[in-house]
């Protein structure tokens, strides 16, 4: 998906959380660094969230089954969205989850890229009007 979007206005934040097994912060840092090659785009900024705060915040927003943390999710936000007192609702999102997850939101890189292109175009349009 990132290969199809050339805009430097796209900000990419990758958050690594401990999900499959317990990892202390140091181990999670090392694993996040090792796995960061999966998203090596220069626009990507990688974060480690050792307590899984972000996954817990997005679980109810995305209606994750069994109250598990949100992980392997791809969130898109319009340019004017800010995280203030609570996690903002994404403008669009997809997942790589399994059972109980909305099948219509199953990750499709082409569809997600199209959605992001529309968000970028809308942001460009707002900037041009100013």
């Amino acid at each position: 998906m990132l290969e199809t979007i050339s805009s430097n206005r796209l900000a990419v934040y990758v958050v690594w959380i401990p999900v499959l097994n317990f990892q202390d912060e140091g181990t999670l840092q090392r694993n996040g660094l090792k796995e960061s090659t999966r998203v090596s785009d220069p626009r990507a900024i990688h974060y480690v969230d050792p307590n899984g705060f972000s996954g817990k915040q997005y679980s109810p927003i995305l209606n994750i089954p069994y109250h598990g943390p949100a992980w392997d999710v791809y969130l898109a936000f319009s340019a004017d969205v800010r995280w203030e007192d609570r996690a903002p609702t994404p403008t669009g999102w997809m997942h790589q989850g399994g059972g109980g997850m909305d099948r219509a939101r199953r990750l499709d890189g082409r569809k997600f890229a199209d959605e992001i292109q529309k968000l970028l175009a809308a942001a460009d349009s707002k900037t041009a009007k100013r």
Side-chain angles (χ1 to χ4, degrees), residues 5 8 23 29 36 40 52 60 64 67 69 80 91 103-104 126:
I5 300 173
N8 285 330
Q23 298 176 47
Q29 288 278 0
S36 68
S40 59
I64 302 296
H67 306 290
D80 57 347
T91 308
R103 289 181 188 209
K126 284 182 183 178

Side-chain angles (χ1 to χ4, degrees), residues 3 5 19 23 27 31 42 45 58 76 78 81 86 90 98 109 114 121-122 129:
E3 293 170 1
I5 300 173
V19 176
Q23 298 176 47
T27 302
N31 289 339
I45 300 171
Y58 276 100
S78 63
V81 171
R86 59 185 180 164
D114 289 346
K129 289 179 182 177

Side-chain angles (χ1 to χ4, degrees), residues 5-31:
I5 300 173
S6 61
S7 175
N8 285 330
R9 290 179 44 97
L10 177 64
V12 179
Y13 303 102
V14 180
V15 181
W16 300 97
I17 64 173
V19 176
L20 297 177
N21 54 22
F22 173 77
Q23 298 176 47
D24 61 51
E25 188 169 351
T27 302
L28 183 61
Q29 288 278 0
R30 286 188 299 279
N31 289 339

